[in-house]
């Protein structure tokens, strides 16, 4: 049995803030056993209160990838940089077709796809619309 000092324990809200998760996600991970925690008490409304050892959060943060989002797309940008405009458009069209084939059918009536002119009009103020094409 491990004895924890109060300052070594974090509330669910503190853990959620540090891990950038919702409180409910942290509680679910505790219930599923994927996040170590100590049950402190049960509130009068029946909700369990937990404390999580700071070391458990540090372990998770230590194993998390710290790659900036901009670097995640670097291999894709590099691969696309050697393609012609036509090749890029074809690959993107294939990716869109692939994704649409895997989407579940919506329960309601589907709206018709927007035309290129409608898309251009709708996103005319977008940063991507203002970037020059290569």
């Amino acid at each position: 049995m491990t004895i924890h000092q109060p300052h070594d324990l974090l509330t669910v809200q503190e853990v959620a803030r540090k891990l950038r998760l919702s409180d409910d996600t942290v509680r679910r991970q505790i219930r599923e056993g994927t996040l170590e925690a100590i049950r402190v008490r049960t509130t009068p409304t029946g909700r369990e209160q937990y404390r999580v050892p700071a070391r458990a959060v540090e372990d998770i943060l230590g194993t998390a990838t710290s790659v900036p989002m901009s670097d995640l797309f670097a291999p894709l940008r590099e691969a696309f940089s050697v393609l012609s405009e036509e090749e890029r458009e074809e690959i993107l069209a294939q990716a869109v077709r692939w994704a649409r084939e895997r989407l579940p059918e919506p329960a309601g009536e589907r709206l018709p796809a927007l035309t290129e002119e409608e898309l251009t009009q709708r996103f005319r103020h977008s940063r991507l619309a203002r970037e020059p094409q290569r």
Side-chain angles (χ1 to χ4, degrees):
M1 181 174 166
T2 306
I3 298 175
H4 299 281
Q5 298 300 320
H7 63 278
D8 291 332
L9 299 175
L10 304 171
T11 66
V12 168
Q13 293 79 14
E14 291 170 328
V15 173
R17 199 170 29 255
K18 286 180 179 278
L19 297 179
R20 297 180 184 195
L21 300 171
S22 70
D23 296 359
D24 290 335
T25 299
V26 171
R27 284 189 187 89
R28 186 180 71 248
Q29 289 179 349
I30 291 170
R31 282 192 309 274
E32 292 172 351
T34 57
L35 180 62
E36 180 185 349
I38 299 161
R39 187 168 54 90
V40 178
R41 70 181 187 118
T42 303
T43 66
T45 60
R47 185 173 216 163
E48 307 229 337
Q49 285 191 334
Y50 299 98
R51 295 296 180 267
V52 177
R55 141 190 79 62
V57 175
E58 290 166 8
D59 289 347
I60 291 170
L61 291 173
T63 59
T65 59
S66 58
V67 177
M69 284 301 266
S70 60
D71 291 350
L72 292 175
F73 296 106
L76 189 58
R77 277 194 299 276
E78 185 178 329
F80 266 59
S81 70
V82 298
L83 300 175
S84 69
E85 184 68 29
E86 294 80 25
E87 291 170 321
R88 278 185 247 164
E89 287 179 12
E90 178 56 29
I91 288 174
L92 289 173
Q94 288 175 9
V96 169
R97 281 193 301 273
W98 178 85
R100 284 185 177 156
E101 289 170 1
R102 282 149 184 80
L103 281 176
E105 285 296 319
E109 188 177 313
R110 260 190 119 133
L111 296 173
L114 296 174
T115 65
E116 187 173 337
E117 183 178 314
E118 291 170 322
L119 285 170
T120 303
Q121 181 65 26
R122 185 173 288 185
F123 296 104
R124 69 183 179 275
H125 299 296
S126 165
R127 176 184 59 83
L128 294 174
R130 291 189 302 263
E131 288 182 1
Q133 297 292 322
R134 293 184 203 185

